[in-house]
């Protein structure tokens, strides 16, 4: 992380973030206070990410979007007012986002993240992108890895969502419970008594790039044994991302029947006989509860990453609407050990 703990909290900030400081410590809150976060893609899920990040008290949040507010956004995008139809989503979200926490600098950038230069992303500590095509996400992740910027990709199609994390080499503190002697050592007539005591330990976790993650064969995740254990979340993600890559948009309620046919064609190409036709009924207009679940998970992982408190997800979170649950998959190439 570029941000340091040199930032001192004001008396007002210490009072506002008192509960957080007691939860994860002063040093972690200082790290949050100096972090600059980019959130691209202000759909309902992106709005949930922005809300949770702003409330924690980071230094700044930049909202980047090139799309206009539509009626579909009102299913889940609570930062835009009803009068904002036709306006840029990031611009329309600014006022309510800033009202969440006046101590955080909320910036607005109108445009598509794919059109931004490599240098643009190096100015942030965390880059979090939704609604991206695969090639564009891979390019930005590569830039972030080179600049040691933490990278997250997320999305929500109807009620199905995911989050991918590339933190390169990430260090974090974690509480480990150990037994400690609490009885008097001089009293040799009694058996020593112990109790569990929490000890903070520093740990490190390595993450693969998005490009490497995508290189893992899908066949590994569509075996009957794997599907029975965790479900069809990952093949579903590949299908939804392929739809966006091929057609330059997401499935729309206005073209529901046409888009269902296209989705089933992609399914039969990538993962035949794996996902039922009914599963694709859930992937149209974003639903607020699902946005809250996925967006909340993304924000939680960003907070853990910036604060360096506890282990972030490693490395893909998937939310399955058919089972109403989320789970984490480790999707990375096997480590090659050289003799």
């Amino acid at each position: 992380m570029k941000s340091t703990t040199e930032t001192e909290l004001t008396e007002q900030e210490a009072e506002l973030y008192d509960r957080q400081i007691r939860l994860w410590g002063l040093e972690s809150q200082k790290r949050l206070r100096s972090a600059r976060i980019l959130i691209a893609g202000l759909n309902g899920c992106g709005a949930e990410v922005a809300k949770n990040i702003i409330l924690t008290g980071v230094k700044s949040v930049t909202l980047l979007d090139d799309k206009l507010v539509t009626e579909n956004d009102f299913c889940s995008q609570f930062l835009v007012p009803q009068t904002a139809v036709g306006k840029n989503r990031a611009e329309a979200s600014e006022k309510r986002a800033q009202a969440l926490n006046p101590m955080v600098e909320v910036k607005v950038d109108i445009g598509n993240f794919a059109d931004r230069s490599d240098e643009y992303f190096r100015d942030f500590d965390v880059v979090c992108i939704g609604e991206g095509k695969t090639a564009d996400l891979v390019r930005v992740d590569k830039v972030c890895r080179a600049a040691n910027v933490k990278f997250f990709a997320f999305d929500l199609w109807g009620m199905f969502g995911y989050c991918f994390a590339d933190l390169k080499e990430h260090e974090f503190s974690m509480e480990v419970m150990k037994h400690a002697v609490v009885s008097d050592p001089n009293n040799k007539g009694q058996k020593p008594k112990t109790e569990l005591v929490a000890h903070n330990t520093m740990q490190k976790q390595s993450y693969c790039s998005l490009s490497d993650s995508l290189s893992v064969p899908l066949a590994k995740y569509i075996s009957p044994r794997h599907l029975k254990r965790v479900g069809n979340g990952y093949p579903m993600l590949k299908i939804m991302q392929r739809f966006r890559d091929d057609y330059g948009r997401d499935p729309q309620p206005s073209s529901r029947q046409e888009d269902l046919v296209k989705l089933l064609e992609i399914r039969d190409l990538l993962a035949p006989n794996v996902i039922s036709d009914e599963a694709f009924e859930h992937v149209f207009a974003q639903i607020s509860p699902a946005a809250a679940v996925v967006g909340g998970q993304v924000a939680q992982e960003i907070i853990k990453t910036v604060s360096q408190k506890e282990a972030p997800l490693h490395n893909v979170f998937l939310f399955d609407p058919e089972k109403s649950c989320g789970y984490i998959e480790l999707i990375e190439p096997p480590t090659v050990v050289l003799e």
Side-chain angles (χ1 to χ4, degrees), residues 1-33:
M1 294 291 293
K2 299 175 189 174
S3 303
T4 68
T5 57
E6 295 175 2
T7 301
E8 294 297 330
L9 301 183
T10 66
E11 185 177 338
Q12 186 180 8
E13 288 172 333
E15 182 179 353
L16 178 63
Y17 305 131
D18 176 64
R19 293 178 64 186
Q20 296 175 187
I21 292 171
R22 283 186 279 136
L23 177 63
W24 51 57
L26 180 59
E27 294 306 308
S28 292
Q29 187 62 45
K30 286 181 179 180
R31 293 188 185 99
L32 284 165
R33 187 65 187 90

Side-chain angles (χ1 to χ4, degrees), residues 10 34 96 159 178 194 231 239 277 288 300 307:
T10 66
S34 60
R96 290 183 177 179
M159 293 188 289
K178 296 183 179 180
T194 63
I239 292 166
D277 294 4
S288 186
Q300 174 181 285
S307 66

Side-chain angles (χ1 to χ4, degrees), residues 124-282:
F124 299 96
D125 296 297
V126 177
V127 168
C128 181
I129 297 179
E131 300 183 321
K133 291 185 177 181
T134 302
D136 296 327
L137 293 172
V138 167
R139 178 214 138 203
V140 175
D141 178 46
K142 183 178 180 180
V143 172
C144 290
R145 283 183 71 84
N148 199 28
V149 174
K150 308 301 184 184
F151 174 85
F152 289 85
F154 71 94
D155 242 306
L156 181 67
W157 292 273
M159 293 188 289
F160 169 77
Y162 88 102
C163 169
F164 168 84
D166 177 9
L167 312 183
K168 200 176 179 182
E169 297 291 331
H170 181 66
E171 291 187 351
F172 57 93
S173 66
M174 197 167 191
E175 285 190 348
V176 177
M177 304 303 291
K178 296 183 179 180
H179 285 278
V181 177
V182 294
S183 58
D184 185 357
N186 296 321
N187 191 343
K188 299 182 179 180
Q190 293 184 358
K191 184 178 179 180
K193 295 181 180 180
T194 63
E195 65 179 25
L196 285 173
V197 179
H199 293 270
N200 274 325
T201 62
M202 292 302 297
Q203 301 189 25
K204 181 182 287 188
Q205 197 157 260
S206 297
Y207 289 73
C208 75
S209 67
L210 178 58
S211 177
D212 286 343
S213 180
L214 293 172
S215 70
V216 178
L218 182 58
K220 177 181 177 181
Y221 300 93
I222 58 177
S223 66
R225 181 178 179 183
H226 185 85
L227 293 172
K228 182 178 181 180
R229 181 169 62 87
V230 296
N232 56 28
Y234 188 59
M236 191 77 168
L237 169 59
K238 299 284 280 189
I239 292 166
M240 300 310 301
Q241 195 67 44
R242 179 67 174 268
F243 184 101
R244 179 183 294 159
D245 293 343
D246 288 352
Y247 299 103
R249 61 176 179 84
D250 290 335
Q252 297 295 316
S254 58
S255 54
R256 187 182 188 89
Q257 293 306 316
E258 176 187 346
D259 288 349
L260 275 173
V261 171
K262 294 176 179 177
L263 285 166
L264 295 178
E265 289 176 350
I266 296 174
R267 177 204 61 184
D268 293 341
L269 178 65
L270 298 181
N273 306 316
V274 169
I275 305 174
S276 67
D277 294 4
E278 292 73 21
F280 294 96
E281 296 291 338
H282 304 298

Side-chain angles (χ1 to χ4, degrees), residues 65-85:
D65 204 309
D66 66 330
K67 293 183 174 61
L68 304 180
V69 177
T70 67
E71 293 288 344
N72 289 338
D73 288 309
F74 299 133
C75 294
S76 57
Q77 222 291 20
F78 54 86
L79 292 179
V80 296
Q82 295 283 329
T83 57
V85 174

